[in-house]
Amino acid sequence: MGKSRVTVLAGGFSPEREVSLASGANVAAQLRISGYEAILVDLTLGRLDEAAERRYCQGAIRDTPSYEQLEQLRARTDVFGLIKSRDVSDADLVFPVIHGAFGEDGHLQAILDAARLPYVGSGVLGQALAMNKDVSKHLFAQNGVPTAAWKRVQRSAEAVPGGRYPVVVKPAGAGSAIGVSICRNDEEFCEGLKRAFQFDDEVVAEDYVKGREFTVGILGDTVLAVGEIRSSATFFDYQAKYQAASTQEIFPADLSADMVSAAEDAARRAADALRIRHYCRMDFIVDQSNQLFVLEVNAVPGMTAKSLYPQSAAAAGVPFHVLCDRLCEMALAEVKAT
């Protein structure tokens, strides 16, 4: 008996669209290595052909689409029609890798649940909790997960500059460091808010922690290898993640056994607090006093050729194609159990 039919859903209309398509092309290719009948479907434009898949597998991540382009894609998107199409409805399993708004905030998962289509990754609640940085940090604080002090700023409220600097200003519901600013005075704080509000109506301003930046993946109940991110950029933004040749990603990281153990404990606590299912990636910083601060948990981590999550798995002895196979097996096992 052959492997299952899997539809990989990618694209969407968030600023992370290009990353998502590259993630989807790589996941589809890896699933085929393991014998799955996998197709790649863009949420807006439908099924991608082999040439397009190949470009996204081999090519560099392009700049984020403009606001106008994203709005045009949003207007063209017929999610309910797509879900009813044979490309999706005939699948044994859906593997969503849509990053950012709609794909990573629980909206897509709610539609898949309503259509009774099984899928890889966290459910509605887990996605929504992980996506909102303010809610995540409240849950971290309640569950013993170390995180930097922060405040929430809403577009409708009057933002009052002042207080401790530097602070990191970021949209509450965006990923890939999109719309993030490091602010060192009142003027930069106001500019940072203006930039972040381009992507969300809610913003988080958290204390800037200077130190080494790390990441670690979780696969089921297993914490994978910790990796260190070294970048010449001021912070690890979209360009540094996907386009900068100077960024180094070192797996496994050069950390003491005690610090690795602390990171693993924080990852488990964070994933449990956010109701994560199947997989995620946790990002954290270790400051000059060897104190660990969790930045965020990504419930739909990047799955491109140079993404951190597959690297974390590979360093733990789980090759990319095996990783994708295990994720599908976990999701399909839950279907059989019900």
Side-chain angles (χ1 to χ4, degrees):
M1 184 176 178
K3 290 273 191 175
S4 302
R5 293 167 298 179
V6 180
T7 293
V8 182
L9 274 183
F13 40 78
S14 87
E16 297 166 84
R17 171 179 172 79
E18 287 295 311
V19 183
S20 172
L21 287 166
S23 288
N26 279 279
V27 167
Q30 296 300 319
L31 287 173
R32 293 182 194 120
I33 292 173
S34 294
Y36 289 89
E37 184 182 329
I39 62 171
L40 176 60
V41 175
D42 184 325
L43 190 71
T44 300
L45 304 179
R47 187 168 175 173
L48 273 71
D49 59 27
E50 290 183 15
E53 280 193 39
R54 196 158 48 246
R55 285 197 302 272
Y56 277 110
C57 272
Q58 298 173 351
I61 305 296
R62 295 182 292 187
D63 288 337
T64 58
S66 68
Y67 176 81
E68 291 75 19
Q69 289 172 322
L70 293 175
E71 284 302 301
Q72 289 171 7
L73 288 165
R74 184 193 295 269
R76 292 180 61 182
T77 302
D78 177 13
V79 179
F80 296 100
L82 181 67
I83 293 297
K84 292 176 183 176
S85 72
R86 292 191 62 182
D87 279 344
V88 179
S89 63
D90 284 357
D92 297 308
L93 184 68
V94 175
F95 199 133
V97 285
I98 297 174
H99 307 307
F102 189 80
E104 206 168 347
D105 55 16
H107 284 87
L108 174 61
Q109 288 73 19
I111 293 171
L112 292 172
D113 284 339
R116 297 186 179 181
L117 289 169
Y119 55 90
V120 170
S122 296
V124 175
L125 181 59
Q127 295 288 350
L129 294 177
M131 184 68 170
N132 188 290
K133 295 177 177 63
D134 176 61
V135 174
S136 294
K137 287 171 78 70
H138 277 290
L139 290 169
F140 292 163
Q142 292 168 15
N143 288 273
V145 180
T147 191
W150 81 101
K151 64 180 178 180
R152 171 178 174 241
V153 183
Q154 292 178 283
R155 188 193 298 273
S156 56
E158 184 178 353
V160 180
R164 293 187 301 183
Y165 289 109
V167 295
V168 181
V169 173
K170 58 181 77 172
S176 289
I178 290 171
V180 178
S181 303
I182 298 176
C183 308
R184 294 173 175 81
N185 53 50
D186 288 356
E187 183 180 356
E188 290 183 358
F189 180 71
C190 292
E191 286 299 315
L193 287 179
K194 189 184 300 183
R195 183 182 183 208
F197 281 136
Q198 293 176 11
F199 301 97
D200 204 334
D201 291 328
E202 184 180 350
V203 167
V204 167
E206 68 180 6
D207 288 356
Y208 172 71
V209 179
K210 185 175 182 179
R212 297 164 65 192
E213 188 165 348
F214 299 90
T215 192
V216 63
I218 293 182
L219 175 62
D221 297 326
T222 303
V223 181
L224 302 170
V226 177
E228 181 174 6
I229 301 119
R230 295 180 185 172
S231 175
S232 58
T234 307
F235 60 93
F236 196 48
D237 61 4
Y238 183 94
Q239 284 71 31
K241 283 178 186 239
Y242 303 113
Q243 296 172 331
S246 60
T247 298
Q248 291 181 290
E249 295 152 359
I250 302 162
F251 288 87
D254 181 16
L255 277 175
S256 68
D258 286 346
M259 187 55 70
V260 169
S261 179
E264 291 173 347
D265 178 68
R268 289 191 176 95
R269 286 175 180 267
D272 185 61
L274 299 180
R275 309 296 194 271
I276 295 297
R277 181 179 70 178
H278 301 162
Y279 75 135
C280 68
R281 194 194 76 238
M282 182 188 80
D283 299 331
F284 64 99
I285 283 180
V286 176
D287 71 7
Q288 294 167 331
S289 301
N290 259 1
Q291 187 172 355
L292 182 153
F293 295 90
V294 173
L295 297 173
E296 64 179 345
V297 169
N298 192 325
V300 186
M303 299 287 270
T304 72
K306 67 174 293 186
S307 288
L308 297 167
Y309 184 77
Q311 290 188 65
S312 178
V318 184
F320 202 169
H321 71 283
V322 175
L323 171 66
C324 294
D325 184 24
R326 287 189 187 174
L327 287 168
C328 290
E329 286 180 343
M330 279 190 276
L332 291 167
E334 290 172 1
V335 175
K336 292 176 182 176
T338 58

